[in-house]
Amino acid sequence: MTARGHDDLVAAQFGPQAAAYATSTVHAQGEDLRRLAEIAAARAGGRVLDLGCGGGHVSFHVAPHAAEVVAYDLSAEMLAAVAASAHERGLRNVVTAQGAAERLPFADGAFDLVLSRYSAHHWHDLRAGLCEARRVLRAGGHAVFVDVVTPGSPLRDTFLQSIELLRDPSHVRNYTCAEWERTLRESGFAPGAPMLRPLRLEFAAWIARMRTPETHVRAIRSLQKLASREIVEAFALEPDGTFTVETMTLEAAPA
């Protein structure tokens, strides 16, 4: 068996699913996206980095308020889908760039806003990615990070990480809010208070987006069916496998 590097695994996982993420209802809407658009509007005319852009939904929401938005991702297929969708929407100020979060090909202080949504749990090294985000953010700039967070207790954490990894082997880790705040400070940011929101994940769509192998689907369903009452209640587990996670929106300024 030939082992792949983590970046190669992420790209391989998401490339074939580019169209699914570009049209995903879960990713295309939400209060967090509206908040990102408000932040961009308050800093109109700036240069924005959409870090780990996925299907490009952050880029599309903030582009009307920005001079330029750089949609940045590991997957060439994902970036092609973003570029095509931006063209269809008439968003001429959205450009794409390919690479890893831990190695940004941009100059120091190149951006007024750095935004990242549902990407960091795939990063090989959270602290390295945040240090790079801080490096490319200008003095007086603003950063916002949105991701699923783990509830923190070992029992709930193990369950969440297990089903995430079975669904998508490029998953690295969902972090607690405390881990996020600590790592942001270590990376040169001054984080604000996290905004928490529930996110209901319809099981069939959640699995279909990643084309999860049937053996892994069965394993996830087995874990769900064997789950304790605490897990059922914590994740609002439904009979069809649908469940609810907690998401965090965390704004940060350069320290």
Side-chain angles (χ1 to χ4, degrees):
M1 183 173 88
T2 302
R4 292 178 289 183
H6 180 71
D7 289 353
D8 296 327
L9 178 58
V10 173
Q13 282 295 111
F14 283 89
Q17 277 66 258
Y21 273 82
T23 59
S24 166
T25 301
V26 167
H27 292 81
Q29 62 187 21
E31 287 296 323
D32 56 329
L33 276 177
R34 284 186 279 275
R35 176 58 185 154
L36 294 178
E38 290 173 357
I39 291 169
R43 296 169 175 266
R47 189 171 187 231
V48 181
L49 175 63
D50 182 2
L51 179 55
C53 65
H57 303 294
V58 170
S59 294
F60 305 149
H61 274 73
V62 305
H65 312 293
E68 181 182 63
V69 180
V70 179
Y72 183 81
D73 203 88
L74 265 176
S75 167
E77 293 92 338
M78 197 73 80
L79 292 173
V82 171
S85 187
H87 180 77
E88 291 169 2
R89 297 164 186 252
L91 300 173
R92 309 299 185 217
N93 60 336
V94 175
V95 299
T96 61
Q98 185 179 7
E102 298 89 347
R103 299 180 299 278
L104 298 180
F106 309 113
D108 294 358
F111 295 95
D112 300 283
L113 281 174
V114 174
L115 310 175
S116 184
R117 181 175 184 256
Y118 299 140
S119 173
H121 60 274
H122 294 289
W123 297 355
H124 186 266
D125 186 328
L126 179 66
R127 188 176 187 278
L130 293 180
C131 283
E132 278 290 88
R134 173 62 188 90
R135 180 184 66 78
V136 302
L137 186 64
R138 71 166 179 80
H142 199 72
V144 188
F145 302 93
V146 181
D147 211 347
V148 173
V149 290
T150 177
S153 79
L155 176 64
R156 298 176 188 181
D157 179 73
T158 296
F159 178 81
L160 179 60
Q161 309 295 352
S162 296
I163 64 172
E164 288 267 44
L165 186 61
L166 282 166
R167 184 239 182 186
D168 171 16
S170 72
H171 173 76
V172 174
R173 180 162 184 79
N174 297 119
Y175 300 92
T176 65
C177 288
E179 287 173 319
W180 266 103
E181 293 175 81
R182 183 181 68 249
T183 311
L184 280 164
R185 291 191 184 95
E186 293 171 352
S187 305
F189 284 102
M195 171 66 71
L196 299 176
R197 298 182 178 92
L199 177 64
R200 183 175 178 269
L201 295 169
E202 197 276 318
F203 186 80
W206 182 66
I207 290 299
R209 270 196 303 278
M210 286 309 300
R211 300 183 185 179
T212 303
E214 183 56 34
T215 53
H216 288 200
V217 175
R218 289 197 298 269
I220 294 170
R221 292 297 286 134
S222 177
L223 285 175
Q224 290 179 326
K225 291 172 182 177
L226 292 170
S228 66
R229 182 172 63 250
E230 181 179 349
I231 293 297
V232 171
E233 293 174 353
F235 294 97
L237 275 176
E238 301 176 31
D240 70 346
T242 295
F243 62 102
T244 297
V245 293
E246 196 164 53
T247 69
M248 170 210 72
T249 300
L250 189 53
E251 300 181 29

